[in-house]
Amino acid sequence: MAHPFSKALSLSTPANDVFIAPSVDEGRINQGMSYTYHSKIPECVANNKNTECVLGVDEAGRGPVLGPMVYGLLYLPREEHISLLADSHRFDDSKVLTPEVRSALMKTLCTPNTDLHDRCGWATRVMSARDISAGMLKPAGTYNLNAQAMDATIQLIRDVFEKGVNVKEIYIDTIGNPATYQKKLERIFPTTSITVAKKADSLYPCVSAASVCAKVSRDVALEVSHRFHSGSNHLSENWGSGYPSDTRATTWMKNNVDPFFGWGSGCRFSWSTAKDLLESKLLTGNIIDWPVVDDEPPSKVTDFLSATSANLNECEKITTWFGTSVPEVMM
């Protein structure tokens, strides 16, 4: 019988033939850039701005040391929330769906003339490993992962409102204390009913669908990043799921670390997995000790306006170096 932990890792590992969604921008992923993708507004919503919609938000890839974190969003007419997503297509938390099922659902969502494509709009925000680490390692004021996730969520929702979509209900899987998170969102979107809850991806179909958008987009983004940094197409054998608990990921990191530059923009250097490995005995011969320079007291403006005898001698040298003064020539 397979260990539950092994089953969780297998469900987190991308399918070998995962559907490549239009939200995947290979060029920007390889450059370590964060970016946002929005699908077209479905005609049933675009042609009638009074259509009341529900909207769900969820993320994928919060914990991995390799690859991006992706936020997914999905909206559709409120009257079809349960019938289309739960009854017809059986959306559920992406973590309990097999990679093949996730991929098939995403493909249907992106295929014209299917009910999902024609009734749903969706978006993703790809937060690159490089940008996540840069925020968390800021020398002056850490931009932690919760704050980055909050900002990504808020901006995705704002984008949908700015497109004219009549969102009446918002459901979000929490990233911290649900009550605190919900109050903040209610201040930003005061005319909309907002529900922030733990396990929202299992409770509300629109969040389940957003979870699939996020997970499939991350699966492909992870594969793209892996291919760029390793030169191999065998993701499942190398990076695996990208989680620190996945021995495939940590083994690859140990065997492919550059002693000075680490692993490139596909790695979250702010994770303890990466920090510990860089500081391990494997790399002791390449640690650079930067000299500590004693801080000198700041100079005052008056220091430049007053002169000691030594200063005057130096000034006379400089004056002579530039030539003889005009009065001396006239005498």
Side-chain angles (χ1 to χ4, degrees), residues 288-311:
I288 299 174
D289 290 323
W290 296 100
V292 178
V293 180
D294 293 333
D295 292 335
E296 297 181 0
S299 300
K300 301 177 182 178
V301 174
T302 53
D303 293 343
F304 297 96
L305 302 179
S306 59
T308 63
S309 57
N311 297 141

Side-chain angles (χ1 to χ4, degrees), residues 187-253:
R187 289 195 297 270
I188 298 172
F189 307 106
T191 62
T192 307
S193 170
I194 297 176
T195 300
V196 178
K198 294 180 179 179
K199 303 295 182 182
D201 47 7
S202 299
L203 299 173
Y204 306 104
C206 60
V207 181
S208 302
S211 174
V212 169
C213 292
K215 179 59 178 166
V216 174
S217 295
R218 174 180 149 78
D219 283 352
V220 182
L222 183 67
E223 189 169 331
V224 167
S225 186
H226 164 262
R227 186 166 58 245
F228 179 75
H229 290 289
S230 71
S232 167
N233 289 320
H234 303 292
L235 174 66
S236 61
E237 298 173 13
N238 293 326
W239 284 16
S241 64
Y243 279 83
S245 55
D246 191 334
T247 54
R248 293 170 296 181
T250 52
T251 299
W252 182 88
M253 290 177 70

Side-chain angles (χ1 to χ4, degrees), residues 50 78 84 112 156 172 215 242 264 297:
N50 293 321
R78 181 158 58 178
L84 180 61
L156 278 176
I172 301 175
K215 179 59 178 166

Side-chain angles (χ1 to χ4, degrees), residues 138-186:
K138 276 187 175 182
T142 300
Y143 185 26
N144 66 42
L145 190 60
N146 279 358
Q148 294 183 51
M150 174 79 78
D151 289 345
T153 300
I154 291 169
Q155 190 55 56
L156 278 176
I157 297 171
R158 276 182 172 150
D159 290 346
V160 174
F161 274 106
E162 289 171 2
K163 292 176 182 294
V165 178
N166 184 21
V167 178
K168 288 298 183 182
E169 298 174 13
I170 295 175
Y171 299 91
I172 301 175
D173 197 38
T174 188
I175 58 171
N177 183 290
T180 303
Y181 191 10
Q182 183 167 317
K183 285 180 181 178
K184 180 171 182 177
L185 291 171
E186 286 172 342

Side-chain angles (χ1 to χ4, degrees), residues 95-167:
K95 293 185 288 294
V96 303
L97 298 175
T98 66
E100 291 74 21
V101 170
R102 293 194 302 257
S103 183
L105 286 169
M106 192 68 187
K107 184 175 182 179
T108 303
L109 180 63
C110 297
T111 303
N113 300 320
T114 63
D115 52 0
L116 285 178
H117 177 274
D118 295 345
R119 312 302 291 179
C120 302
W122 60 282
T124 56
R125 173 67 181 172
V126 175
M127 302 164 63
S128 73
R130 183 191 68 181
D131 289 348
I132 289 172
S133 295
M136 296 180 70
L137 296 173
K138 276 187 175 182
T142 300
Y143 185 26
N144 66 42
L145 190 60
N146 279 358
Q148 294 183 51
M150 174 79 78
D151 289 345
T153 300
I154 291 169
Q155 190 55 56
L156 278 176
I157 297 171
R158 276 182 172 150
D159 290 346
V160 174
F161 274 106
E162 289 171 2
K163 292 176 182 294
V165 178
N166 184 21
V167 178

